Amino acid sequence: MKLKGTNIVIDTAWGDSGKGKFVDVFSGDADLVVRFNGGANAGHTVVNDYGEFKFHLIPTGIFNPDALSILAGSVAISPLTLVDEINELREKGVAISEKNLLISEYAHMIMPWHIARDNLRESARGDAKVGTTGRGIGPLYADRTERVGVRMGDMLKKNFEEIILRELDWQTKLITLMDTEEPSPYLESLSPEKVLADFRAVQEILAPMIGNPLPIIWEAQKAGKEILGEGAQGILLDIDLGTYPYVTSSHPGVTGFSIATGLQQNDISRVIGVTKAYQTRVGEGPMPTELLGEIGDKLRELGNEYGATTGRPRRCGWLDLPSLRYSLQVGGVNSIALTKIDVLDGMDEIKICTHYEYNGKKYDTLPTADAAFMAEAKAIYEMMPKWDGATFGVKDFADFPQEAQDYVKYIEDSVGVPVEIISNGPAREEVFYRI
Ligand code: IMP
């Protein structure tokens, strides 16, 4: 399938639905690939002729020599992680320069104090922790809102080191107050010599790639070029529309793309919502269809459900249609890419959550992002016929076992959005299109 115009790929749940594979496949034809939210809290693995890569920041468009990959202004950039990724790519023979990577001058930088504050805050919260990835994401976006962030464009300024030191001074005072451990392990990471040395080392590498991507994006859109938006995390982790406080601090849906690019929903041809055939979540927060016993363990093992960034085991459960309907609504999704259906090949029973019950009332859709509602809502299931044959690697929908075809049709009929793409195996080739 060749996408035309502007298309974005987002996750309809809590991240980890396998969207990396689609952005990898689609970026092969794209003119611009725009990563638009989150930071090194995300992670995906790409395997291709150059080798195996675990990316947190670099857009997958980097493997297309004709595409420009953009890290937009709302991405939380760790310059140190970014340079590690650039170096790894260069070592494996991928050319990277200002010709194929553009970093927005507006993007905020993850500084060591963000990582310290993220971890200190999580420890202080005890049982009420969010279960963050520890990559400094919350504190970075908090500083951005407080208007005290350090931005990639600051790297180009003569007084860059002064900007860092001024903020470092304030942040060190804050962390000294927050950290009760003696001696504080975090203060070491904030020594001015170390911070300046780390940033001097990356400044020269990154500076030529820093600029303003907006006019390039707008011109490309007007000229009908192919723009691919690469989302991170998932709609249910949205800071405003997710189950606060168990969310990330950015906008993983179409809103995030608009904020980052200035393009609006009318400018977008397809919003592809990547949906796993069952449910997973990493970190804390409500998950109505979570399976805590043997069946959940089996889904985890068959689906290899371990977080790409932290290695944490993912919580697993049956597909949750009420939360999917909510995501499709708030995420503006008009096309579903269903992933990991092959994992269900190995299951002895398959269920699907059709609606919730809460205070004696039936809810077909998650009516609110309220975490307490979601925690207390009772998932009501329908038993789906299991299948004996395999969907793994099959190239044509008509060759799926009938029950697997019915499972897919049941989902699209229930949510009113077509399943246009199906991924049925980990490899790049194990995907087919129904359009
Ligand atoms: P943070 O984004 O590191 O602050 O983490 C906040 C919540 O989002 C936690 O529950 C994380 O596990 C979750 N999270 C963050 N990034 C990802 C991701 O890329 N995939 C899945 N979950 C994520």
Side-chain angles (χ1 to χ4, degrees), residues 1-7 22 25-32 64 224-228 269-270 272 420-421 432-435:
M1 180 174 102
K2 191 165 170 2
L3 295 176
K4 288 204 173 68
T6 300
N7 297 275
F22 297 107
V25 170
F26 294 139
S27 60
D29 290 321
D31 297 299
L32 300 185
N64 172 356
K225 293 210 169 145
E226 212 184 293
I227 303 176
L228 180 68
S269 323
R270 247 197 191 83
I272 300 170
E420 294 190 322
I421 308 169
F432 64 84
Y433 306 98
R434 295 173 72 214
I435 16 174

Side-chain angles (χ1 to χ4, degrees), residues 14-16 41-42 130-134 137 233 237 247-248 282-283 312:
W14 288 289
D16 310 317
N41 47 350
V130 173
T132 72
T133 57
I137 300 298
Q233 290 86 49
L237 288 171
V247 291
T248 191
V282 62
R312 291 179 289 180

Side-chain angles (χ1 to χ4, degrees), residues 297-317:
D297 292 346
K298 190 164 178 191
L299 278 172
R300 185 176 311 107
E301 291 321 307
L302 290 176
N304 191 24
E305 297 294 352
Y306 296 90
T309 297
T310 58
R312 291 179 289 180
R314 293 180 187 140
R315 301 154 66 191
C316 297

Side-chain angles (χ1 to χ4, degrees), residues 117 120 143 168-179:
R117 277 166 47 199
L120 283 166
D143 281 359
L168 179 65
D169 184 45
W170 165 263
Q171 299 276 355
T172 306
K173 285 183 192 137
L174 194 64
I175 287 160
T176 310
L177 287 175
M178 282 170 83
D179 199 358

Side-chain angles (χ1 to χ4, degrees), residues 276-293:
K276 203 181 278 185
Y278 50 96
Q279 209 76 22
T280 59
R281 174 164 206 175
V282 62
E284 307 300 318
M287 180 176 171
T289 64
E290 181 170 14
L291 290 161
L292 290 169

Side-chain angles (χ1 to χ4, degrees), residues 225-287:
K225 293 210 169 145
E226 212 184 293
I227 303 176
L228 180 68
E230 178 176 339
Q233 290 86 49
I235 297 171
L236 297 176
L237 288 171
D238 185 282
I239 181 71
D240 284 310
L241 294 163
T243 46
Y244 188 88
Y246 303 105
V247 291
T248 191
S249 299
S250 65
H251 301 286
V254 70
T255 324
F257 182 76
S258 294
I259 291 170
T261 60
L263 297 183
Q264 308 306 327
Q265 184 119 19
N266 284 351
D267 302 317
I268 300 169
S269 323
R270 247 197 191 83
V271 180
I272 300 170
V274 184
T275 305
K276 203 181 278 185
Y278 50 96
Q279 209 76 22
T280 59
R281 174 164 206 175
V282 62
E284 307 300 318
M287 180 176 171

